[in-house]
Amino acid sequence: MQRYFIEMAYDGTNYHGWQVQPNAVSVQELMNDALCKIFRQPKEITYIVGAGRTDTGVHSDYFVAHFDLPEAVAPEDIEHILFKFNAILPSDISVFSMQPVDEKMHARFSAMSRTYHYRISLRKIPNLRLTHFNPYFVPDFAKMNEAAKILLEYTDFTSFARLHADTKTNDCFVSKAEWREVSPGIWIFEIKANRFLRNMVRAVVGTLLEVGRGKMTIEQFRAVIDAKDRCKASSSAEARGLTLIDIEYPEGKGFVSNRDLFVRL
């Protein structure tokens, strides 16, 4: 059995997230169907495993998944397989690399960190409407950055976790959390951690926006985290503004990231 990592991207607008859902279309479902057609194997053999689950409407500029094949693919055939993937998949899903890796490598559990961007446009720009949130107010980004720094002091993010989720722990190690203006009127919130809870980033952004609009103080933001109560935080920011942009893996296991060749920030 040979394990393969694939690097891919997708526009999440039309999907109920990555993970297979009953009575809803997901990215994973379409990837499984493509695998079955390309390799002519049943789903239980070519089932694809993603680096994580993104929520409904959330995008990924860079995503990693793995699947196993009964036999290794000849290196010269991989380019043709990538062509087949992209011919079968809809235009809002793209696969751009496929690599054999160590059998112990796992797209989800081997990942060392993940990085998200939440994108905001202060102007109404039609071609950004599916990937950027357009608030009806101008946030105070300096205050939101001051509040965002507090995230680095904590590991328990229960206040930003989805209620009744089946996670064993709400601990996450956040190593970066900052807002920056990337072009006039276009801001991104970049947050990096070893793992994220379901809905966590959107809940964090929604609460930070309350700080940015003057509805919550810096001290109150800290109190929200200390409370370990989802009801104390604000509602989640809209899904369309959130994009997964990076996943890091350990070196020396056969996987070489091609992210910088395909992701332009």
Side-chain angles (χ1 to χ4, degrees), residues 4 56-57 116 133 163 210 225 230 242 251 264:
Y4 288 89
T56 298
Y116 281 90
F133 173 58
L163 293 173
E210 290 294 278
I225 304 175
R230 179 65 183 90
L242 185 59
E251 297 180 357
R264 297 289 181 266

Side-chain angles (χ1 to χ4, degrees), residues 33-202:
D33 289 343
L35 279 170
C36 291
K37 291 175 182 176
I38 293 169
F39 297 105
R40 298 180 181 180
Q41 298 281 355
K43 286 185 178 181
E44 52 268 22
I45 292 180
T46 55
Y47 190 81
I48 193 164
V49 177
R53 57 172 73 181
T54 52
D55 291 337
T56 298
V58 173
H59 317 292
S60 184
D61 286 351
Y62 183 76
F63 195 82
V64 178
H66 80 251
F67 59 88
D68 297 324
L69 294 177
E71 297 180 359
V73 174
E76 61 269 22
D77 292 336
I78 287 182
E79 200 65 35
H80 184 57
I81 290 171
L82 293 176
F83 176 83
K84 286 185 175 181
F85 264 120
N86 289 308
I88 293 170
L89 292 166
S91 59
D92 51 9
I93 303 175
S94 173
V95 178
F96 48 84
S97 90
M98 172 178 161
Q99 303 175 46
V101 296
D102 187 289
E103 63 180 7
K104 294 182 180 179
M105 282 286 282
H106 192 286
R108 179 183 174 188
F109 298 126
S110 297
M112 300 186 298
S113 71
R114 298 159 175 84
T115 304
Y116 281 90
H117 279 179
Y118 193 88
R119 295 163 175 160
I120 284 181
S121 174
L122 298 182
R123 293 174 287 127
K124 186 178 180 182
I125 304 176
N127 67 348
L128 298 183
R129 72 191 188 283
L130 300 180
T131 57
H132 290 61
F133 173 58
N134 178 215
Y136 59 87
F137 59 95
V138 178
D140 185 331
F141 289 98
K143 282 189 176 180
M144 290 199 297
N145 258 332
E146 189 177 346
K149 290 179 182 178
I150 296 173
L151 296 168
L152 306 182
E153 302 174 21
Y154 288 84
T155 56
D156 189 331
F157 292 100
T158 301
S159 292
F160 302 120
R162 176 172 291 182
L163 293 173
H164 312 300
D166 57 357
T167 53
K168 294 181 180 179
T169 175
N170 289 333
D171 285 356
C172 306
F173 296 93
V174 177
S175 55
K176 188 174 187 178
E178 66 175 18
W179 291 91
R180 67 177 185 271
E181 189 173 22
V182 293
S183 62
I186 306 296
W187 288 77
I188 64 168
F189 174 61
E190 182 170 315
I191 183 167
K192 178 179 179 180
N194 66 321
R195 64 188 289 264
F196 289 96
L197 308 172
R198 290 191 67 186
N199 203 52
M200 174 178 164
V201 179
R202 290 169 57 206

Side-chain angles (χ1 to χ4, degrees), residues 229-245:
D229 182 352
R230 179 65 183 90
C231 296
K232 300 296 183 182
S234 301
S235 57
S236 298
E238 291 187 16
R240 61 189 165 117
L242 185 59
T243 302
L244 176 63
I245 62 110

Side-chain angles (χ1 to χ4, degrees), residues 209-220:
L209 285 170
E210 290 294 278
V211 174
R213 66 190 294 204
K215 297 289 186 179
M216 181 182 292
T217 66
I218 304 296
E219 293 73 21
Q220 288 172 329

